[in-house]
Amino acid sequence: METDSANLLKQLQSTLCRLEKALGAIADAVVWTDAEQRIERCNPAFSRLVNRFDPNVVGSCLRDVLPLQQAGNFLAITEYPDAKLRAHSYEPTLYEFHPTPHTPHPTPPHPTPHTSHPTPHTPHPTPHTPPPRNLR
């Protein structure tokens, strides 16, 4: 019986690993939430969209991380796409998202190796307010 449980656990871990890789390969931002609209998982594209690294996003309320608007008005949490999906009333539409300029950029989970001789002409990013993004 323990062997069956151990095999099942290995299969589940393998499946989760494959799902994480597939999710990471999707270019569009993907996020899923629980019934209370707390973020359970997201892909790197979503982390980049909201300028927050995945561990800092998980457990947060979707509305706090992704304040959506339509026609310049903030949406009620019941009007978010995930709430509409749960209510079986979702119809594709455009949403506006205005990232805040004060939100730090996401930190990669594993630092990239630095070369011992940095390029002398590497441009440094300048802070600016990003343009609003339209989301579907």
Side-chain angles (χ1 to χ4, degrees):
M1 188 71 156
E2 277 187 39
T3 306
D4 290 342
S5 296
N7 287 336
L8 182 58
L9 181 60
K10 285 182 184 179
Q11 289 175 348
L12 289 172
Q13 289 172 332
S14 175
T15 299
L16 182 59
C17 184
R18 288 193 310 267
L19 288 172
E20 290 288 337
K21 285 181 183 178
L23 185 63
I26 298 172
D28 292 328
V30 177
V31 61
W32 65 82
T33 62
D34 63 15
E36 287 79 40
Q37 294 180 308
R38 297 264 173 217
I39 297 171
E40 291 185 341
R41 286 219 186 295
C42 67
N43 69 346
F46 182 82
S47 291
R48 284 189 302 274
L49 175 71
V50 298
N51 290 327
R52 290 176 64 182
F53 177 58
D54 186 323
N56 297 327
V57 173
V58 172
S60 301
C61 179
L62 182 62
R63 185 177 184 178
D64 294 340
V65 175
L66 188 72
L68 295 179
Q69 298 180 26
Q70 282 184 319
N73 297 313
F74 286 100
L75 292 180
I77 199 71
T78 56
E79 296 300 312
Y80 270 62
D82 65 316
K84 293 274 197 180
L85 284 167
R86 285 186 182 92
H88 304 286
S89 63
Y90 177 77
E91 293 183 21
T93 186
L94 288 179
Y95 298 93
E96 300 164 5
F97 169 60
H98 301 272
T100 61
H102 305 292
T103 307
H105 288 283
T107 304
H110 304 289
T112 54
H114 291 73
T115 59
S116 57
H117 304 286
T119 308
H121 301 291
T122 304
H124 297 284
T126 56
H128 69 283
T129 302
R133 299 179 185 191
N134 287 326
L135 309 173
R136 289 182 196 236

